[in-house]
Amino acid sequence: MKLTKQGHASVRLERDGRTLVIDPGGFSEPEAALGADAVLVTHEHPDHFDEGRLRTALEGNPAAEIWTLAAVAERLSAAFPGRVHTVGHGDTFEAAGFEVEVHGRLHAVIHPDIPRVTNVGYLVHGASGTKEATAKEATAREDSLFHPGDALTVPERPVGTLLLPLHAPWSKFSEIVDYVREVAPRRAYDVHDGLLADPGLAVYGRMLGPAGPGLGGAEHVRLAPGESARV
């Protein structure tokens, strides 16, 4: 599949002429969700979920659908009946030709005094053959891509490509390194980096590269917004 980095936490996945977008929030490009056949939203925070932009995308493409957790779905489902699907941990579904598994339940702790909201991560892999055959293959193969949202969730599945939340009020560098090591992907692409200026990006890049403590063999890759890679 083709992976395109969008602003902050959002990515666009394309395969066989169909497009899946994850977390086109308020820190991403205004057009991040436009043209998508399907949109996945990990949680309700505005840097991941922008209601106005999603409404525009759904109105622009009457066939587009959204999969998300209840807190987001309830704000859109009445206006778009049958096109907004509520999911939670353990669910599987097909969206825009991609097979998707849902992993995780809660947002990472920002501070003990701040209530935790629901957060889900999406393990995505391109469909090949029937849905039943693809779901069976998913337990063994490593060509999957995982977007954890705002949590360091470790799926109980092999992960080929990890979308790594690089920087957030709820994380520190040592946790990011240990998270990559535990997930053990072949490669990790930065997301959730919209609050970093160029000097910060350079520091993180250096520390996640050969000069740092090591990622357990995973390759670290940074794409600027608008750049793409094949995964």
Side-chain angles (χ1 to χ4, degrees):
M1 69 185 87
K2 179 182 178 181
L3 164 69
T4 300
K5 172 72 163 68
Q6 301 192 128
H8 191 52
S10 183
V11 297
R12 179 174 291 254
L13 305 176
E14 298 171 85
R15 178 177 169 137
D16 298 332
R18 307 191 71 187
T19 300
L20 174 69
V21 170
I22 306 177
D23 278 1
F27 293 178
S28 300
E29 302 87 343
E31 66 277 9
L34 296 181
D37 299 293
V39 178
L40 312 181
V41 179
T42 63
H43 65 288
E44 65 197 81
H45 286 165
D47 57 326
H48 297 254
F49 166 55
D50 186 296
E51 182 174 351
R53 294 179 183 181
L54 283 184
R55 286 177 176 268
T56 298
L58 289 174
E59 290 164 356
N61 179 6
E65 299 178 77
I66 293 178
W67 281 261
T68 186
L69 38 72
V72 172
E74 65 188 14
R75 294 170 61 175
L76 296 167
S77 56
F80 304 97
R83 299 170 61 192
V84 181
H85 312 282
T86 302
V87 296
H89 177 74
D91 288 340
T92 61
F93 57 92
E94 183 177 318
F98 296 86
E99 289 295 324
V100 184
E101 299 179 18
V102 184
H103 294 265
R105 293 184 171 87
L106 289 172
H107 192 287
V109 176
I110 301 172
H111 186 275
D113 292 349
I114 299 176
R116 297 172 73 183
V117 300
T118 308
N119 176 93
V120 294
Y122 297 106
L123 186 68
V124 181
H125 49 91
S128 57
T130 66
K131 181 175 181 179
E132 292 77 16
T134 304
K136 184 177 181 180
E137 293 168 2
T139 62
R141 68 190 186 184
E142 297 184 3
D143 62 345
S144 56
L145 175 147
F146 185 59
H147 192 311
D150 275 11
L152 301 181
T153 302
V154 179
E156 297 178 359
R157 296 283 190 274
V159 173
T161 299
L162 174 66
L163 300 180
L164 178 65
L166 186 66
H167 172 264
W170 46 265
S171 69
K172 60 184 180 181
F173 178 74
S174 62
E175 295 171 333
I176 297 303
V177 170
D178 290 344
Y179 179 55
V180 178
R181 291 176 177 178
E182 187 172 4
V183 176
R186 290 196 298 269
R187 68 196 70 83
Y189 287 91
D190 294 341
V191 293
H192 214 283
D193 52 6
L195 298 182
L196 289 174
D198 288 343
L201 291 170
V203 168
Y204 274 85
R206 183 171 65 253
M207 292 299 291
L208 291 171
L215 300 178
E219 177 189 11
H220 172 251
V221 184
R222 170 166 175 77
L223 296 175
E227 288 188 321
S228 300
R230 293 284 175 180
V231 298

